[in-house]
Amino acid sequence: MSASDPILELPFDVRPDPEEFLRAAIKWHFSPETGSPFWLRLAETLDFDPLTEIRSFEDLSRFPNVANSLRDVPVEELIPRGYGPKPEITGIYDSGGTTGAPKRVVMLREWLDILVEHSSAQLDAHGVPQDVNWLMVIPSGPHMVGETFHQLVRRRGGLAFTVDVDPRWVKKLIGRGEKAEAELYTEHLIDQLAFTLESQEIGVLMLTPPTLERLSRRDDLVALVRKKVKAIMWVGTQLDPDTRDLYRTELFPEAVFVSGFGNTMTLGHVTERPGLTDDEPCVYDPFSPYMTYRVIDEATGESVPYGERGRVVMHYVGKSLFLPNNLERDYATRIQPVEGQIGDSIADVAPVKEFDNETVIEGVY
């Protein structure tokens, strides 16, 4: 293993100087002895030298969007050589795979540990209790969310109960016009959820808006959630403000109600900004400088004004992976960042109708 700049290995709650951090990451990923075969090979095709010409986060826009290459590149080529022959890999994870073949990333242990610590601190800020069991109705492998939240629950002192979700199957059903079958699948998820909720002590319920909506049709399950569950975390598809308010104030008024936003191409997830009022949308602040967002006008490539909507571009910069300038399939409202943050915050995230010439279907996740 090669030595890296200590700034690339700071604890989650120590925010480095962003440009110093970026320069260290560029040196790591584009030096022959430490960089990955993927980036060292691609660097030869660039019309600039990353080692000397990338000095700020604004400069990341000079890189091509290489996300589509992650559909078929051998994942071994994504691992920086600096980790040596036996890096501790916790998983190989896919993007949704609903607009063509899935894109794959590699999760190394050191980044997962940082991500989990950051996520746990965010949950603490919302008042989500520790030392309680979670029931999670979410995808497992090859999706990243399952493994990361299993680790998070263990870190917070609870046990993780799961109901596996296959979002790709549901989206195929909807794409074929078999909406009734998709509804039956969601009902199947609720049936499984009910068994665990009835028999186990569950403090946190994690699920998607479609499954939460279906759960809310069953009075017995609503009563059970009110009795047992101290926090509800919703992830995945969007939730309109009126429905969100209904859940928070009428159906589950005693539970902490909080959302999470995750993305495979930034190797992680964030929780909504604490302290938002009922009238404010869910705002997501990136875990910068590792994850950063930019909201742009598709026609010009320039940032839209704050409060306006645009296409989301994401960067991931870390020791274990470098993935800049990824044009995501989402639109969002550009929000003023918090002090010290790099890049934009985002709200009202919603998918584009088409991505890479494929229709985007939301489904159950």
Side-chain angles (χ1 to χ4, degrees), residues 7 112 172 182 193 196 317 319 324:
I7 199 171
L112 179 60
K172 278 192 172 184
L193 175 157
T196 303
V317 179
K319 182 182 173 186

Side-chain angles (χ1 to χ4, degrees), residues 110-285:
E110 64 182 14
W111 168 245
L112 179 60
D113 289 345
I114 293 171
L115 176 66
V116 165
E117 292 287 344
H118 174 259
S119 299
S120 186
Q122 287 195 304
L123 294 177
D124 288 342
H126 283 280
V128 176
Q130 297 202 29
D131 301 311
V132 298
N133 298 335
W134 287 47
L135 173 54
M136 302 184 291
V137 189
I138 55 175
S140 59
H143 303 276
M144 184 172 58
V145 61
E147 176 62 24
T148 55
F149 273 89
H150 269 85
Q151 296 281 345
L152 179 60
V153 174
R154 284 195 285 270
R155 161 68 179 77
R156 294 178 63 80
L159 300 175
F161 296 87
T162 56
V163 175
D164 192 22
V165 175
D166 186 352
R168 294 176 181 172
W169 178 242
V170 177
K171 292 177 183 183
K172 278 192 172 184
L173 291 174
I174 295 173
R176 294 202 301 256
E178 298 180 25
K179 189 173 181 180
E181 285 295 318
E183 290 283 318
L184 286 174
Y185 181 83
T186 308
E187 192 70 21
H188 170 61
L189 297 177
I190 298 303
D191 287 340
Q192 296 176 77
L193 175 157
F195 292 139
T196 303
L197 194 59
E198 290 165 357
S199 62
Q200 303 298 320
E201 291 303 315
I202 302 298
V204 180
L205 180 63
M206 180 180 179
L207 71 180
T208 65
T211 50
L212 180 58
E213 188 276 331
R214 182 56 65 96
L215 178 152
S216 300
R217 298 182 193 179
R218 296 194 189 182
D219 292 343
D220 59 329
L221 292 184
V222 170
L224 206 52
V225 171
R226 285 177 172 174
K227 178 181 177 182
K228 290 187 172 185
V229 172
K230 298 176 176 61
I232 298 171
M233 185 171 192
W234 62 272
V235 294
T237 52
Q238 55 193 319
L239 185 62
D240 68 83
D242 289 341
T243 304
R244 176 170 162 247
D245 185 63
L246 174 69
Y247 289 139
R248 292 170 68 175
T249 62
E250 296 188 33
L251 284 181
F252 310 110
E254 300 301 319
V256 175
F257 195 76
V258 62
S259 69
F261 172 70
N263 183 273
T264 306
M265 297 297 104
T266 57
L267 277 183
H269 54 267
V270 292
T271 304
E272 69 180 82
R273 181 183 293 179
L276 297 170
T277 67
D278 291 344
D279 296 329
E280 292 179 289
C282 292
V283 175
Y284 303 107
D285 303 311

Side-chain angles (χ1 to χ4, degrees), residues 289-332:
Y290 309 101
M291 311 172 185
T292 52
Y293 310 145
R294 184 168 173 245
V295 184
I296 66 166
D297 181 320
E298 288 183 272
T300 65
E302 299 298 320
S303 296
V304 301
Y306 290 119
E308 298 295 321
R309 292 185 67 72
R311 193 75 174 267
V312 180
V313 175
M314 297 187 176
H315 307 300
Y316 178 83
V317 179
K319 182 182 173 186
S320 64
L321 184 70
F322 179 65
L323 192 57
N325 211 28
N326 176 41
L327 182 67
E328 262 301 318
R329 63 168 204 168
D330 293 320
Y331 285 117

